[in-house]
Amino acid sequence: MGRWVPQLSAKREGVVADGITYTLADIVALHGALQAEFGALLVWSGEYVFDDGDLWVSVAPDGFATAQEALDWCVAKARDRDNCLARFVTHDPSASPTVQLQP
């Protein structure tokens, strides 16, 4: 069982993105901005089925039945393909697919 959510960010210490080499403080600051704007929740990818279990992931608090609904949320919030995707958050390792990108 799980839900599709809009994923707004996924970072770990040392990731280089947007001209920043991310530290934990940078990740917390980015998440704080996403939380203030969208009510984002912070999850650790290692607790769910992710290809990479070593990421801090900011997701919108809205859960959806389909990936398309999560992608529609991204579009409605003017979040582009690089800054919003649909993520199926689950503990079930047989679930597939767990990611869908905007076109």
Side-chain angles (χ1 to χ4, degrees):
M1 187 133 216
R3 298 286 289 171
W4 286 97
V5 297
Q7 177 181 306
L8 306 171
S9 175
K11 304 281 188 284
R12 76 164 71 59
E13 259 190 308
V15 164
V16 178
D18 305 318
I20 299 169
T21 301
Y22 277 85
T23 65
L24 285 179
D26 296 322
I27 294 166
V28 169
L30 173 60
H31 174 71
L34 294 170
Q35 184 179 41
E37 187 170 356
F38 302 109
L41 306 171
L42 187 63
V43 299
W44 178 247
S45 65
E47 294 180 3
Y48 299 94
V49 176
F50 275 70
D51 290 340
D52 186 333
D54 187 27
L55 296 167
W56 289 106
V57 182
S58 293
V59 298
D62 305 302
F64 299 98
T66 69
Q68 188 58 55
E69 290 173 304
L71 294 176
D72 290 345
W73 183 100
C74 294
V75 171
K77 300 296 184 183
R79 302 286 293 178
D80 66 18
R81 177 186 173 102
D82 292 334
N83 293 291
C84 198
L85 56 84
R87 166 72 64 184
F88 191 68
V89 178
T90 184
H91 295 287
D92 180 357
S94 69
S96 182
T98 58
V99 174
Q100 187 169 334
L101 302 175
Q102 294 184 53

